[in-house]
Amino acid sequence: MTVTTSEAQQRARSARKDNDGPRRRELLRAASACFAELGYDRTTVEVITTRAEVSRATFYAYFSSKDEVFHAVAADVCEEFLESQHVEGPASEDLREVLRTTTKAFVEAVYTNGRVLELIRHRAGLDPEVGRSWATVQTRLIRRYTRFIERINATCDVTPCAPPARIAQTLADAQLAGAARLVDASSREQRRYTSDLTAISERLIGFA
């Protein structure tokens, strides 16, 4: 079988994609910074390679286009949000502390990725792949949050103000939209919002 140059390049690129090495991570960090600072339309492959201080050939060794690198950046951001809900070890048994820890981690992830998150939400309406990824992440976030609140209801002395799914959706909306409005706020304002949102979460879920 004859393999064309483009096919060979695609196979090599796919192999590098699966092997998340330092050069690929460097390109993703540069791309994320460019998208956050310049927006989607003004970010180009040349802008990304200049930021990363690599050649265009190096970029195309890992990504086929600006769209593909944006998809990878979006996947990283989505994974960070999912990871923020995860607590391991003895601390995971103290559900009130888990709530506080995960709320803080999720909100801080929004502060860090807020501008890229805004692009993801916008591109979700234009790019089917981004739309599917973002919808999947939102669904997983809400399901996890709902199960966590149900676990609290079953094992703790709490009086929730609404069904777990409704509370989960309300708090997730507040975490995403509320924190996103404070991306450019001072660290003091951001900490205050995190503290207030944690208190609101505890009250809605029913902790005394």
Side-chain angles (χ1 to χ4, degrees):
M1 179 179 65
T2 301
V3 179
T4 67
T5 302
S6 60
E7 290 173 338
Q9 287 174 337
Q10 183 59 42
R11 290 184 180 184
R13 189 181 296 125
S14 297
R16 294 187 185 97
K17 179 179 179 180
D18 294 336
N19 181 17
D20 194 17
R23 181 54 59 87
R24 184 174 185 273
R25 299 307 308 172
E26 181 183 344
L27 280 166
L28 285 175
R29 283 192 296 270
S32 181
C34 291
F35 286 125
E37 293 172 11
L38 302 175
Y40 187 84
D41 292 337
R42 292 171 58 198
T43 296
T44 64
V45 171
E46 182 177 2
V47 167
I48 295 171
T49 55
T50 298
R51 181 70 172 249
E53 298 182 343
V54 300
S55 67
R56 291 173 66 90
T58 297
F59 176 91
Y60 286 115
Y62 292 87
F63 303 102
S64 63
S65 64
K66 181 176 78 170
D67 279 350
E68 186 176 353
V69 75
F70 183 78
H71 293 163
V73 168
D76 275 2
V77 171
C78 290
E79 185 61 30
E80 184 173 346
F81 286 137
L82 290 172
E83 282 298 313
S84 71
Q85 290 185 322
H86 188 61
V87 176
E88 293 183 340
S92 64
E93 299 305 314
D94 185 341
L95 299 187
R96 191 167 190 169
E97 187 57 35
V98 171
L99 175 64
R100 292 170 175 171
T101 300
T102 55
T103 298
K104 181 175 185 290
F106 192 94
V107 172
E108 289 183 349
V110 177
Y111 292 153
T112 300
N113 300 291
R115 293 187 183 88
V116 175
L117 174 61
E118 183 179 354
L119 282 180
I120 292 171
R121 296 171 77 174
H122 174 69
R123 294 295 302 173
L126 303 172
D127 184 325
E129 182 173 339
V130 177
R132 286 190 296 270
S133 296
W134 180 237
T136 298
V137 168
Q138 287 181 297
T139 299
R140 290 178 65 187
L141 288 171
I142 297 302
R143 284 178 178 172
R144 282 185 179 184
Y145 211 166
T146 300
R147 289 197 298 268
F148 176 59
I149 296 173
E150 288 173 342
R151 183 183 171 197
I152 292 174
N153 288 352
T155 59
C156 300
D157 182 16
V158 296
T159 305
C161 69
R166 180 71 67 188
I167 295 174
Q169 184 69 65
T170 299
L171 293 177
D173 289 344
Q175 290 173 353
L176 281 169
R181 287 194 292 269
L182 295 176
V183 168
D184 295 318
S186 67
S187 58
R188 180 178 181 179
E189 289 179 282
Q190 291 178 343
R191 288 194 300 271
R192 179 60 182 269
Y193 183 77
T194 302
S195 177
D196 289 345
L197 185 57
T198 300
I200 291 169
S201 301
E202 291 182 352
R203 184 65 61 88
L204 289 179
I205 291 172
F207 284 110

